[in-house]
Amino acid sequence: AHLGRPQEEALGAGDAAPQPLTPRHPPRREGDVFRVECVDWTGGPIKNDDSSNDVKNVDLSQVHYLSGPIEVEGAAPGNLLKVDFLNLGTLEGDEWGFTGSFAKENGGGFLTDHFPCASKAHIPGVRFAGLIHPGLIGTAPSAELLKMWNDREAALVAEEGTEKKKKTLCGSLHTRPLACLPQPTGAMLGKLGHFKKKSEDEGWMKVAQEAARTVPGRENGGNCDIKNLSRGYTVYFPVFVPGANLSMGDMHFSQGDGEVSFCGAIEMSGFLDLKCSIIKGGMKMLPVVGPSPLSVNPIFEVGPLEPRFSEWLVFEGVSVDEQGVQHYLDATIAYKRAVLNCIKYLSQFGYTEEQVYLMLSCIPCEGRISGIVDVPNAVATLAVPLAIFDKDVRPPKTLEALGSGVKVRNICMSAEGGAVPKDPRLDE
């Protein structure tokens, strides 16, 4: 990664839209230990300052900025690619990170209906150990798998404005788009090139029009945002194309389960030291749940390194929305309620609700589905470690003690509305 260079040069050959035809980096042999450097997931437009205008107007058509694809010699379709995480860290000279929330009209988040403005936040009185991890890592799809993704996500987007849309919870959550379909604008296709310079190239355009966006996790791994995916972890990825074509990025210093604000972990640039090995025919071990033998998912082997806490405050949510409407075993609504309950509770201790919202995106809080069978309510819980606070946030004996000892620094919040997604560096 080359910090400070123009975006199309920052990664040398970045991969922000996986596609089986994307050229690869020089191959790595099985057993090699190698380092991968990553810029932050937005490519560098978010600055280390007290203005949230960069978050408000960020050009999200370009994300994620990934490093890869990396070929592993001998990996073939049907294999498993075993990836060992040996070490992770910051890039020298770029040891900082950011947490924020996007504007409702440009990105949004889990609670955009409650917090519509873009923001960055300083959160005093909170301290915890980080656990650096990639929010996104995965292998490349085959042409068949890529078609599966594009077909099913296009079918979902086609429900916009129809009666079927009700199943997507759009009445209870402010959804951004229902899915992010392929689009040439913003696409970065490894050595095929960056959209800034290649948009008139017919061959580049053909690839860009079908290359998948990296917003969700899928069968190949991808943007799963697993907060403990750090040193000592092992992941068993399915291999769909020769060489596996491993890509990664979206580095986090720390994250809470769900990454609820969407711009939401402590985002950073960083590196990973990895070792890859191949399990021949190992994809047969992955359970197939779906209409195709490609309907599989990676398996994760947890490492020993993680923040450890002994005392937690746990907030419960059930599948009844803010208007009092009952939903049937809806874990998304239940988790939304648990998050809202936590936000409104902790805001009594001197924090703003926006600060708590961002806090829950980046502290090592634990989200759980606690009940999924007792009709009509799904039950979700959110556990917050007590040791991260410099004061006791358990219910006090007297309400007068609630706000004492917390000095709230003004949050950097933009005005609502008017976001204009633009990256001025593209005009250079």
Side-chain angles (χ1 to χ4, degrees):
H2 303 288
L3 302 172
R5 291 193 185 180
Q7 287 178 292
E8 65 270 25
E9 301 175 8
L11 292 176
D15 178 29
Q19 207 268 3
L21 298 180
T22 305
R24 299 164 287 195
H25 282 280
R28 300 292 178 174
R29 293 188 298 271
E30 183 176 9
D32 282 354
V33 174
F34 57 95
R35 174 164 292 191
V36 181
E37 296 182 347
C38 306
V39 298
D40 84 78
W41 74 294
T42 65
I46 309 302
K47 303 304 180 185
N48 186 10
D49 59 28
D50 287 341
S51 170
S52 61
N53 287 334
D54 49 8
V55 176
K56 178 177 181 177
N57 299 313
V58 65
D59 181 3
L60 295 176
S61 73
Q62 301 178 59
V63 300
H64 295 84
Y65 272 77
L66 304 182
S67 295
I70 298 166
E71 176 185 359
V72 180
E73 283 187 350
N79 294 165
L80 285 180
L81 184 68
K82 180 183 177 184
V83 180
D84 294 316
F85 287 66
L86 306 181
N87 196 21
L88 303 93
T90 60
L91 294 186
E92 185 176 354
D94 204 45
E95 297 91 350
W96 71 282
F98 64 90
T99 296
S101 62
F102 291 123
K104 180 178 180 179
E105 65 273 22
N106 186 31
F110 189 50
L111 298 182
T112 300
D113 47 346
H114 292 266
F115 304 102
C117 297
S119 66
K120 293 177 185 171
H122 297 276
I123 305 171
V126 177
R127 184 182 179 88
F128 55 90
L131 188 62
I132 295 175
H133 61 276
L136 194 160
I137 182 170
T139 52
S142 63
E144 181 183 357
L145 181 58
L146 180 64
K147 185 177 187 302
M148 282 175 51
W149 294 352
N150 288 340
D151 287 351
R152 73 192 185 199
E153 292 174 21
L156 179 63
V157 169
E159 295 180 5
E160 181 72 39
T162 70
E163 282 298 305
K164 287 185 178 180
K165 180 181 174 182
K166 292 179 179 178
K167 79 175 185 182
T168 64
L169 299 176
C170 294
S172 303
L173 293 171
H174 175 76
T175 56
R176 289 85 70 188
L178 298 185
C180 296
L181 301 181
Q183 61 167 330
T185 300
M188 293 168 287
L189 302 173
K191 293 182 179 179
L192 287 182
H194 186 278
F195 77 101
K196 178 181 176 181
K197 295 183 177 179
K198 294 288 186 176
S199 58
E200 303 300 323
D201 184 296
E202 290 185 7
W204 183 94
M205 184 64 70
K206 179 182 184 300
V207 175
Q209 287 173 337
E210 64 179 19
R213 287 294 169 158
T214 57
V215 174
R218 299 184 178 97
E219 286 85 347
N220 66 324
N223 192 30
C224 297
D225 288 314
I226 298 173
K227 72 179 193 312
N228 292 351
L229 188 60
S230 194
R231 190 169 7 141
Y233 240 89
T234 297
V235 188
Y236 300 87
F237 288 107
V239 176
F240 302 104
V241 298
N245 286 11
L246 186 69
S247 296
M248 66 209 70
D250 189 22
M251 297 294 289
H252 298 161
F253 177 77
S254 178
Q255 181 201 296
D257 278 339
E259 197 185 13
V260 290
S261 80
F262 189 36
C263 184
I266 298 179
E267 309 287 347
M268 57 175 278
S269 58
F271 72 84
L272 306 91
D273 290 337
L274 304 174
K275 183 175 73 172
C276 295
S277 53
I278 300 165
I279 301 176
K280 302 291 185 182
M283 212 170 130
K284 294 178 181 178
M285 293 293 296
L286 299 181
V288 175
V289 182
S292 165
L294 304 179
S295 301
V296 297
N297 296 96
I299 293 176
F300 301 82
E301 183 179 344
V302 178
L305 184 67
E306 63 178 353
R308 300 187 183 277
F309 301 97
S310 58
E311 295 182 304
W312 304 77
L313 208 57
V314 180
F315 298 87
E316 179 189 59
V318 297
S319 48
V320 178
D321 65 30
E322 298 96 299
Q323 287 70 46
V325 176
Q326 179 73 63
H327 296 257
Y328 177 72
L329 295 180
D330 193 317
T332 303
I333 296 295
Y335 196 60
K336 184 183 184 187
R337 282 290 305 272
V339 173
L340 283 170
N341 288 341
C342 181
I343 289 172
K344 293 184 179 299
Y345 174 82
L346 289 177
S347 68
Q348 299 176 94
F349 289 83
Y351 299 101
T352 67
E353 290 192 2
E354 181 81 29
Q355 281 180 313
V356 183
Y357 179 38
L358 300 190
M359 184 194 307
L360 295 180
S361 268
C362 62
I363 65 173
C365 55
E366 301 280 346
R368 297 284 187 274
I369 297 175
S370 299
I372 202 67
V373 295
D374 297 316
V375 297
N377 277 332
V379 178
T381 53
L382 179 64
V384 176
L386 290 172
I388 69 172
F389 298 99
D390 65 359
K391 64 176 296 182
D392 191 350
V393 296
R394 290 173 293 190
K397 291 183 179 180
T398 62
L399 295 183
E400 289 76 11
L402 277 176
S404 63
V406 176
K407 296 180 181 179
V408 177
R409 182 172 175 177
N410 289 336
I411 193 168
C412 308
M413 186 179 298
S414 68
E416 184 173 356
V420 181
K422 179 178 175 59
D423 191 334
R425 296 173 300 174
L426 296 181
D427 298 329
E428 296 174 358

